[in-house]
Amino acid sequence: ASIEFGLDAPFSVEYHDSVDSTNLRARELAAEGADDVAVVADEQTGGRGRLERAWSAPSGGVWVSILVRPQRPPAHVPVFTLAAAVAVTRVCREVGVDASIKWPNDVLVETGERSERGGLKLVGILTEMEGEADRVSWLVAGIGVNANVDAAELPEGATSLREQTGGDVDRRVFVQRLLEEFDELRENPDEVLPAWRAHSATLGQRVRVETSGGVVEGTAVDVEFPGALVVDTSEGDVRVHAGDCEHLRPV
Ligand code: BTN
């Protein structure tokens, strides 16, 4: 399987039929000094998820890693993860799937059931970066969309665009739109949090967050720059940072 890309994408695109991990490849390109590149693969043989987990990435998905060099301090990196979530959620909605964002960086289709996750996972995002104390050197936003993937090939608790719509998306168009949306948001960082709130599955929910420092339970009331979740608990508002979140579930 092979997809070709238009030349009008705001990033140069490196396409692979098969690669270990688009994030790893993007990191290699970063080490070589590249900038504004998107690595896209039909299949990943060693897809990587958050918290050192493996990420299943069979042929037919949209597996993409965007390499950028923002002139920002490392503390601002979570905004780029939120921007990636907003961008991919918008494009999933364009193709007719009612996706929403579960803080910090899952995109899911809500089922209305009180499941562990509160919905079926459609997209995962893994952001990696390297930087000095005051400036990011490079940032890779890795976005994995279960696109044209059969239900039988999905991990438990996951869904795909194919399963949701009964049809297949044009992955070239999907990636093109994703890159356009991400580009627009990085140029307009003030739009990220309002757009994130508008697409959130988490705000307004009672949640239980496991963090390295203990469990936080209450109502998720807001997301604050650069990406902290504000939880209204019996002891007042507590801010949870994405990097500290080991597990969040609705209660
Ligand atoms: C997660 O939810 O745990 C994050 C999953 C991130 C998967 C994407 S697929 C494209 C990119 N390359 C990888 O190896 N991982 C990310």
Side-chain angles (χ1 to χ4, degrees):
S2 164
I3 42 181
E4 288 179 6
F5 287 89
L7 295 175
D8 48 346
F11 297 85
S12 57
V13 175
E14 182 184 281
Y15 173 74
H16 299 261
D17 281 331
S18 183
V19 71
D20 49 359
S21 154
T22 54
N23 263 37
L24 284 181
R25 177 61 191 143
R27 294 178 61 145
E28 272 174 26
L29 290 168
E32 291 166 14
D35 188 9
D36 282 359
V37 180
V39 179
V40 179
D42 173 40
E43 168 196 71
Q44 296 180 111
T45 53
R48 298 163 63 228
R50 286 184 72 225
L51 308 172
E52 312 290 317
R53 295 190 190 119
W55 174 261
S56 163
S59 170
V62 168
W63 320 123
V64 48
S65 297
I66 308 172
L67 164 65
V68 291
R69 296 184 184 272
Q71 306 284 314
R72 302 279 207 100
H76 291 192
V77 164
V79 159
F80 288 86
T81 305
L82 299 187
V86 169
V88 72
T89 300
R90 285 178 172 169
V91 184
C92 288
R93 290 184 178 194
E94 279 174 14
V95 300
V97 175
D98 188 17
S100 48
I101 309 169
K102 181 192 158 198
W103 188 85
N105 56 0
D106 284 349
V107 174
L108 43 82
V109 177
E110 289 180 282
T111 54
E113 283 164 34
R114 299 184 69 79
S115 61
E116 165 78 359
R117 194 180 268 130
L120 297 169
K121 183 152 163 172
L122 182 65
V123 178
I125 297 172
L126 175 66
T127 304
E128 300 183 88
M129 68 93 157
E130 195 175 86
E132 312 286 313
D134 58 336
R135 236 197 54 181
V136 170
S137 163
W138 55 260
L139 180 157
V140 170
I143 304 167
V145 187
N146 298 323
N148 305 336
V149 177
D150 269 341
E153 281 189 282
L154 295 167
E156 211 188 315
T159 189
S160 64
L161 297 175
R162 179 184 278 175
E163 187 181 45
Q164 292 296 316
T165 65
D168 282 356
V169 294
D170 180 331
R171 288 179 291 163
R172 190 196 65 78
V173 174
F174 194 100
V175 170
Q176 171 100 30
R177 288 289 304 120
L178 177 59
L179 296 177
E180 286 168 1
E181 289 293 328
F182 185 80
D183 185 49
E184 206 259 322
L185 289 163
R186 74 166 165 162
E187 300 297 338
N188 301 286
D190 292 348
E191 284 180 19
V192 175
L193 289 185
W196 192 93
R197 291 184 189 108
H199 290 334
S200 166
T202 304
L203 298 184
Q205 257 187 358
R206 275 200 72 77
V207 294
R208 181 186 155 86
V209 196
E210 283 165 29
T211 73
S212 45
V215 172
V216 177
E217 201 167 318
T219 306
V221 287
D222 200 10
V223 63
E224 273 182 3
F225 184 87
L229 186 71
V230 185
V231 184
D232 176 11
T233 74
S234 52
E235 277 132 50
D237 283 357
V238 175
R239 281 161 185 78
V240 187
H241 297 274
D244 295 335
C245 169
E246 281 159 11
H247 202 66
L248 177 148
R249 65 179 173 86
V251 287

